[in-house]
Amino acid sequence: MDSNIAGKVVVITGASSGLGEATARHLSALGATVVLGARRADRLHALADALIAAGGKALAVPTDVTDAAQVQRLVDTAVQTYGRIDVMLNNAGLMPHSPLDRRKIDDWNRTIDVNIKGVLYGIAAALPYMQAQQSGHIINVSSVAGHKVRAGGAVYSATKFAVRVISEGLRQEVKPYNIRTTVISPGAVDTELPGSITEPDIAQNMHEYYDRIAIPADAFARAVAFAMSQPDDVDVNEILFRPTRQES
Ligand SMILES: NC(=O)c1ccc[n+]([C@@H]2O[C@H](COP(=O)([O-])OP(=O)(O)OC[C@H]3O[C@@H](n4cnc5c(N)ncnc54)[C@H](OP(=O)(O)O)[C@@H]3O)[C@@H](O)[C@H]2O)c1
Protein backbone atom coordinates (compact mmCIF):
# COMPACT_ATOMS: atom_id res chain seq x y z
CA MET A 1 0.00 0.00 0.00
CA ASP A 2 1.25 3.50 -0.82
CA SER A 3 1.89 5.18 2.53
CA ASN A 4 2.13 8.65 0.99
CA ILE A 5 5.33 8.98 3.03
CA ALA A 6 8.02 7.08 1.09
CA GLY A 7 10.01 9.39 -1.19
CA LYS A 8 8.74 12.60 0.39
CA VAL A 9 11.30 15.28 1.26
CA VAL A 10 10.68 16.35 4.86
CA VAL A 11 12.44 19.29 6.51
CA ILE A 12 12.41 19.06 10.31
CA THR A 13 13.47 21.84 12.68
CA GLY A 14 14.50 20.85 16.18
CA ALA A 15 15.68 17.50 14.85
CA SER A 16 18.61 17.12 17.26
CA SER A 17 16.52 15.67 20.10
CA GLY A 18 13.07 14.77 21.36
CA LEU A 19 10.09 14.92 19.04
CA GLY A 20 12.06 16.06 16.00
CA GLU A 21 14.64 13.31 16.30
CA ALA A 22 11.98 10.63 16.88
CA THR A 23 10.07 11.85 13.84
CA ALA A 24 13.19 11.85 11.67
CA ARG A 25 13.86 8.24 12.67
CA HIS A 26 10.25 7.15 12.11
CA LEU A 27 9.78 8.86 8.74
CA SER A 28 13.18 7.71 7.52
CA ALA A 29 12.26 4.12 8.37
CA LEU A 30 9.10 4.65 6.30
CA GLY A 31 11.16 5.77 3.30
CA ALA A 32 11.04 9.57 3.59
CA THR A 33 14.08 11.74 2.89
CA VAL A 34 14.76 13.88 5.96
CA VAL A 35 16.57 17.21 6.13
CA LEU A 36 17.52 17.96 9.70
CA GLY A 37 17.82 21.42 11.26
CA ALA A 38 18.86 22.47 14.79
CA ARG A 39 21.83 24.21 16.39
CA ARG A 40 23.76 21.20 17.79
CA ALA A 41 25.64 20.16 14.67
CA ASP A 42 27.27 17.11 16.29
CA ARG A 43 23.88 15.63 17.21
CA LEU A 44 22.43 16.38 13.77
CA HIS A 45 25.37 14.81 11.91
CA ALA A 46 25.32 11.72 14.14
CA LEU A 47 21.60 11.28 13.45
CA ALA A 48 22.01 11.77 9.69
CA ASP A 49 24.88 9.27 9.66
CA ALA A 50 22.80 6.69 11.56
CA LEU A 51 19.84 7.08 9.20
CA ILE A 52 22.07 6.80 6.12
CA ALA A 53 23.79 3.73 7.60
CA ALA A 54 20.33 2.17 7.97
CA GLY A 55 19.66 2.73 4.26
CA GLY A 56 17.85 6.07 4.45
CA LYS A 57 18.42 9.47 2.87
CA ALA A 58 19.24 12.23 5.35
CA LEU A 59 21.04 15.54 5.43
CA ALA A 60 22.12 17.63 8.42
CA VAL A 61 21.99 21.41 8.04
CA PRO A 62 22.93 23.19 11.29
CA THR A 63 20.33 25.91 11.75
CA ASP A 64 19.28 28.48 14.34
CA VAL A 65 15.58 29.09 13.72
CA THR A 66 15.73 32.56 15.26
CA ASP A 67 17.63 33.66 12.15
CA ALA A 68 15.35 33.82 9.09
CA ALA A 69 18.33 33.57 6.72
CA GLN A 70 19.46 30.29 8.33
CA VAL A 71 15.97 28.81 8.04
CA GLN A 72 15.86 29.88 4.40
CA ARG A 73 19.23 28.19 3.87
CA LEU A 74 17.90 24.98 5.48
CA VAL A 75 14.96 24.85 3.08
CA ASP A 76 16.99 25.99 0.05
CA THR A 77 19.51 23.23 0.76
CA ALA A 78 16.73 20.64 0.88
CA VAL A 79 15.36 21.79 -2.48
CA GLN A 80 18.79 22.12 -4.11
CA THR A 81 19.78 18.64 -2.94
CA TYR A 82 16.55 16.71 -3.46
CA GLY A 83 14.63 18.84 -5.97
CA ARG A 84 11.59 19.66 -3.82
CA ILE A 85 10.14 20.03 -0.33
CA ASP A 86 7.03 18.04 0.51
CA VAL A 87 6.75 18.64 4.25
CA MET A 88 7.96 21.43 6.54
CA LEU A 89 7.80 20.36 10.18
CA ASN A 90 8.20 23.49 12.32
CA ASN A 91 9.03 21.71 15.56
CA ALA A 92 11.92 23.56 17.27
CA GLY A 93 10.82 24.97 20.59
CA LEU A 94 11.57 25.61 24.23
CA MET A 95 9.53 25.86 27.43
CA PRO A 96 11.21 27.97 30.11
CA HIS A 97 8.28 28.09 32.52
CA SER A 98 8.25 30.61 35.38
CA PRO A 99 5.71 32.91 37.04
CA LEU A 100 5.62 36.34 35.46
CA ASP A 101 6.74 38.06 38.64
CA ARG A 102 10.16 36.43 38.29
CA ARG A 103 10.62 38.79 35.36
CA LYS A 104 12.61 36.35 33.19
CA ILE A 105 12.65 38.71 30.26
CA ASP A 106 15.48 36.91 28.46
CA ASP A 107 13.48 33.66 28.68
CA TRP A 108 10.39 35.42 27.32
CA ASN A 109 12.33 36.81 24.38
CA ARG A 110 13.95 33.47 23.55
CA THR A 111 10.62 31.65 23.78
CA ILE A 112 8.94 34.13 21.44
CA ASP A 113 11.89 34.10 19.05
CA VAL A 114 12.03 30.31 18.75
CA ASN A 115 8.41 29.24 19.24
CA ILE A 116 6.70 31.96 17.21
CA LYS A 117 9.22 33.63 14.94
CA GLY A 118 10.95 30.32 14.19
CA VAL A 119 7.65 28.89 12.97
CA LEU A 120 6.99 31.98 10.84
CA TYR A 121 10.47 31.78 9.32
CA GLY A 122 9.83 28.13 8.46
CA ILE A 123 6.59 29.05 6.74
CA ALA A 124 8.28 31.93 4.90
CA ALA A 125 11.03 29.66 3.62
CA ALA A 126 8.84 26.73 2.55
CA LEU A 127 5.78 28.47 1.17
CA PRO A 128 7.15 29.85 -2.13
CA TYR A 129 8.48 26.40 -3.10
CA MET A 130 5.20 24.71 -2.18
CA GLN A 131 3.15 27.32 -4.05
CA ALA A 132 5.29 26.75 -7.14
CA GLN A 133 4.95 22.98 -6.78
CA GLN A 134 1.19 23.29 -6.16
CA SER A 135 1.67 20.79 -3.35
CA GLY A 136 3.12 20.54 0.10
CA HIS A 137 2.32 20.10 3.78
CA ILE A 138 3.23 22.45 6.62
CA ILE A 139 3.07 20.89 10.09
CA ASN A 140 3.41 23.16 13.12
CA VAL A 141 3.84 22.05 16.72
CA SER A 142 1.64 23.60 19.38
CA SER A 143 0.87 21.92 22.72
CA VAL A 144 -1.89 21.17 25.20
CA ALA A 145 -0.56 24.48 26.56
CA GLY A 146 -1.79 26.00 23.30
CA HIS A 147 -5.32 25.07 24.39
CA LYS A 148 -5.17 26.01 28.08
CA VAL A 149 -2.99 28.25 30.20
CA ARG A 150 -1.72 27.45 33.68
CA ALA A 151 0.08 29.56 36.28
CA GLY A 152 3.78 29.65 35.46
CA GLY A 153 3.21 28.90 31.79
CA ALA A 154 1.78 32.18 30.50
CA VAL A 155 4.51 33.02 28.00
CA TYR A 156 4.94 29.45 26.74
CA SER A 157 1.16 29.08 26.38
CA ALA A 158 0.98 32.41 24.57
CA THR A 159 3.49 31.15 22.00
CA LYS A 160 1.62 27.88 21.56
CA PHE A 161 -1.76 29.64 21.22
CA ALA A 162 -0.03 31.78 18.59
CA VAL A 163 1.12 28.70 16.69
CA ARG A 164 -2.50 27.51 16.48
CA VAL A 165 -3.67 30.92 15.28
CA ILE A 166 -0.92 31.12 12.66
CA SER A 167 -1.71 27.59 11.53
CA GLU A 168 -5.41 28.36 11.07
CA GLY A 169 -4.65 31.55 9.13
CA LEU A 170 -2.21 29.62 6.99
CA ARG A 171 -4.76 26.86 6.38
CA GLN A 172 -7.20 29.38 4.93
CA GLU A 173 -4.58 31.16 2.82
CA VAL A 174 -3.02 28.15 1.14
CA LYS A 175 -6.22 26.59 -0.19
CA PRO A 176 -5.53 27.80 -3.76
CA TYR A 177 -2.15 26.06 -3.78
CA ASN A 178 -3.15 22.52 -2.80
CA ILE A 179 -1.07 22.79 0.38
CA ARG A 180 -2.09 20.91 3.51
CA THR A 181 -1.63 22.25 7.05
CA THR A 182 -1.59 20.41 10.35
CA VAL A 183 -1.06 21.63 13.89
CA ILE A 184 -0.15 18.97 16.43
CA SER A 185 -0.68 19.62 20.16
CA PRO A 186 1.08 17.06 22.36
CA GLY A 187 0.67 16.58 26.09
CA ALA A 188 3.64 15.50 28.19
CA VAL A 189 6.17 13.61 26.07
CA ASP A 190 9.52 12.40 27.34
CA THR A 191 12.10 14.73 25.74
CA GLU A 192 14.74 17.24 26.79
CA LEU A 193 12.12 20.03 26.92
CA PRO A 194 12.00 20.43 30.74
CA GLY A 195 15.75 21.09 30.48
CA SER A 196 14.94 24.47 28.95
CA ILE A 197 13.54 25.72 32.29
CA THR A 198 16.01 28.14 33.86
CA GLU A 199 14.47 28.40 37.37
CA PRO A 200 15.80 25.45 39.43
CA ASP A 201 12.72 24.92 41.62
CA ILE A 202 10.35 24.98 38.66
CA ALA A 203 12.65 22.73 36.63
CA GLN A 204 12.69 20.19 39.45
CA ASN A 205 8.88 20.13 39.68
CA MET A 206 8.56 19.74 35.93
CA HIS A 207 11.13 16.92 35.82
CA GLU A 208 9.21 15.10 38.56
CA TYR A 209 5.94 15.60 36.66
CA TYR A 210 7.45 14.33 33.39
CA ASP A 211 9.05 11.36 35.16
CA ARG A 212 5.58 10.45 36.42
CA ILE A 213 3.46 10.80 33.31
CA ALA A 214 5.35 11.47 30.07
CA ILE A 215 5.06 9.04 27.16
CA PRO A 216 7.76 8.17 24.58
CA ALA A 217 8.39 10.57 21.69
CA ASP A 218 7.36 8.07 19.03
CA ALA A 219 3.72 8.94 19.92
CA PHE A 220 4.36 12.27 18.24
CA ALA A 221 6.16 10.69 15.29
CA ARG A 222 3.14 8.48 14.65
CA ALA A 223 0.86 11.53 14.70
CA VAL A 224 3.02 13.18 12.04
CA ALA A 225 2.98 10.00 9.96
CA PHE A 226 -0.81 9.78 10.31
CA ALA A 227 -1.32 13.31 8.96
CA MET A 228 1.20 12.82 6.15
CA SER A 229 -0.09 9.43 5.10
CA GLN A 230 -3.65 10.54 4.30
CA PRO A 231 -4.60 10.70 0.62
CA ASP A 232 -3.69 14.07 -0.92
CA ASP A 233 -7.30 15.27 -0.80
CA VAL A 234 -7.52 14.72 2.97
CA ASP A 235 -6.19 17.57 5.11
CA VAL A 236 -5.86 16.64 8.80
CA ASN A 237 -5.77 20.10 10.36
CA GLU A 238 -5.49 19.40 14.08
CA ILE A 239 -4.27 16.62 16.32
CA LEU A 240 -4.29 16.85 20.12
CA PHE A 241 -3.03 13.96 22.20
CA ARG A 242 -2.02 13.35 25.82
CA PRO A 243 -0.62 10.51 27.87
CA THR A 244 -3.63 8.47 28.98
CA ARG A 245 -2.66 9.24 32.56
CA GLN A 246 -2.39 13.04 32.03
CA GLU A 247 -5.31 14.73 33.82
CA SER A 248 -5.29 18.30 32.50
N1 LIG B 1 7.83 17.24 25.12
C1 LIG B 1 6.62 17.69 25.39
O1 LIG B 1 6.02 17.33 26.40
C2 LIG B 1 5.97 18.68 24.47
C3 LIG B 1 4.60 18.92 24.65
C4 LIG B 1 3.98 19.85 23.80
C5 LIG B 1 4.70 20.49 22.82
N2 LIG B 1 6.04 20.22 22.68
C6 LIG B 1 6.77 20.96 21.64
O2 LIG B 1 7.52 20.05 20.88
C7 LIG B 1 8.58 20.73 20.23
C8 LIG B 1 9.87 19.92 20.34
O3 LIG B 1 10.26 19.89 21.69
P1 LIG B 1 10.80 18.57 22.40
O4 LIG B 1 9.80 18.18 23.41
O5 LIG B 1 11.24 17.58 21.41
O6 LIG B 1 12.04 19.17 23.23
P2 LIG B 1 13.61 19.01 23.05
O7 LIG B 1 14.02 17.60 23.18
O8 LIG B 1 14.21 20.00 24.00
O9 LIG B 1 13.86 19.48 21.55
C9 LIG B 1 13.80 20.84 21.19
C10 LIG B 1 14.46 20.97 19.85
O10 LIG B 1 14.38 22.35 19.44
C11 LIG B 1 15.67 22.73 19.02
N3 LIG B 1 15.88 24.16 19.19
C12 LIG B 1 15.79 24.92 20.30
N4 LIG B 1 16.15 26.18 20.04
C13 LIG B 1 16.48 26.22 18.72
C14 LIG B 1 16.93 27.22 17.84
N5 LIG B 1 17.13 28.50 18.25
N6 LIG B 1 17.18 26.91 16.55
C15 LIG B 1 17.00 25.65 16.11
N7 LIG B 1 16.55 24.65 16.88
C16 LIG B 1 16.30 24.94 18.17
C17 LIG B 1 16.64 21.92 19.84
O11 LIG B 1 17.86 21.78 19.14
P3 LIG B 1 19.24 22.57 19.44
O12 LIG B 1 19.27 22.83 20.92
O13 LIG B 1 20.27 21.62 18.96
O14 LIG B 1 19.14 23.80 18.62
C18 LIG B 1 15.92 20.59 19.87
O15 LIG B 1 16.23 19.84 18.73
C19 LIG B 1 8.64 22.12 20.88
O16 LIG B 1 8.04 23.06 20.03
C20 LIG B 1 7.81 21.93 22.14
O17 LIG B 1 7.25 23.15 22.59
C21 LIG B 1 6.67 19.33 23.46
Side-chain angles (χ1 to χ4, degrees), residues 13-20 37-40 63-66 90-95 114-115 141-144 156 160 185-194 210:
T13 68
S16 60
S17 66
L19 306 186
R39 292 166 305 172
R40 287 171 291 179
T63 304
D64 185 334
V65 299
T66 66
N90 290 308
N91 163 75
L94 39 93
M95 183 187 69
V114 176
N115 294 12
V141 183
S142 179
S143 170
V144 167
Y156 180 68
K160 293 302 183 179
S185 298
V189 180
D190 183 17
T191 68
E192 298 175 15
L193 196 66
Y210 269 62

Side-chain angles (χ1 to χ4, degrees), residues 157-202:
S157 267
T159 67
K160 293 302 183 179
F161 272 77
V163 169
R164 288 182 55 226
V165 170
I166 291 164
S167 299
E168 172 57 14
L170 178 69
R171 183 191 72 74
Q172 296 176 29
E173 291 182 18
V174 297
K175 286 288 136 191
Y177 305 105
N178 191 37
I179 295 169
R180 303 192 293 179
T181 62
T182 304
V183 58
I184 303 181
S185 298
V189 180
D190 183 17
T191 68
E192 298 175 15
L193 196 66
S196 64
I197 300 173
T198 56
E199 295 287 89
D201 56 328
I202 293 164

Side-chain angles (χ1 to χ4, degrees), residues 12 15 34-38 40-49 51-52 57-63 73-74 77 82:
I12 303 175
V34 290
V35 180
L36 314 170
R40 287 171 291 179
D42 50 341
R43 299 264 293 249
L44 280 189
H45 286 295
L47 177 58
D49 289 348
L51 297 178
I52 291 165
K57 280 192 193 168
L59 186 64
V61 185
T63 304
R73 184 174 151 267
L74 168 68
T77 304
Y82 299 113

Side-chain angles (χ1 to χ4, degrees), residues 2-248:
D2 180 10
S3 70
N4 215 0
I5 291 176
K8 281 187 170 169
V9 178
V10 184
V11 176
I12 303 175
T13 68
S16 60
S17 66
L19 306 186
E21 177 183 349
T23 305
R25 290 184 187 280
H26 189 60
L27 296 180
S28 181
L30 294 171
T33 297
V34 290
V35 180
L36 314 170
R39 292 166 305 172
R40 287 171 291 179
D42 50 341
R43 299 264 293 249
L44 280 189
H45 286 295
L47 177 58
D49 289 348
L51 297 178
I52 291 165
K57 280 192 193 168
L59 186 64
V61 185
T63 304
D64 185 334
V65 299
T66 66
D67 179 348
Q70 292 189 37
V71 182
Q72 187 67 56
R73 184 174 151 267
L74 168 68
V75 171
D76 288 349
T77 304
V79 175
Q80 282 156 13
T81 309
Y82 299 113
R84 56 188 293 108
I85 172 175
D86 296 298
V87 180
M88 180 78 203
L89 175 54
N90 290 308
N91 163 75
L94 39 93
M95 183 187 69
H97 275 335
S98 63
L100 293 166
D101 65 5
R102 297 207 191 176
R103 299 161 48 90
K104 302 285 290 185
I105 290 172
D106 287 347
D107 279 1
W108 301 347
N109 285 332
R110 280 192 308 127
T111 309
I112 290 165
D113 285 348
V114 176
N115 294 12
I116 301 179
K117 292 186 187 172
V119 169
L120 289 170
Y121 297 156
I123 292 168
L127 208 43
Y129 288 117
M130 292 180 177
Q131 287 177 317
Q133 290 170 179
Q134 287 281 310
S135 74
H137 192 168
I138 296 179
I139 304 177
N140 297 326
V141 183
S142 179
S143 170
V144 167
H147 293 255
K148 50 170 66 181
V149 59
R150 291 190 194 89
V155 175
Y156 180 68
S157 267
T159 67
K160 293 302 183 179
F161 272 77
V163 169
R164 288 182 55 226
V165 170
I166 291 164
S167 299
E168 172 57 14
L170 178 69
R171 183 191 72 74
Q172 296 176 29
E173 291 182 18
V174 297
K175 286 288 136 191
Y177 305 105
N178 191 37
I179 295 169
R180 303 192 293 179
T181 62
T182 304
V183 58
I184 303 181
S185 298
V189 180
D190 183 17
T191 68
E192 298 175 15
L193 196 66
S196 64
I197 300 173
T198 56
E199 295 287 89
D201 56 328
I202 293 164
Q204 189 184 336
N205 288 343
M206 190 65 77
H207 279 296
E208 286 169 10
Y209 177 68
Y210 269 62
D211 287 349
R212 221 172 40 247
I213 70 160
I215 51 176
D218 57 359
F220 175 84
R222 288 193 302 275
V224 174
F226 173 78
M228 280 178 63
S229 64
Q230 301 306 307
D232 289 337
D233 61 352
V234 178
D235 191 9
V236 176
N237 299 126
E238 292 215 39
I239 298 175
L240 184 154
F241 71 92
R242 294 175 171 84
T244 307
R245 55 187 168 254
Q246 181 173 340
E247 285 178 9
S248 57

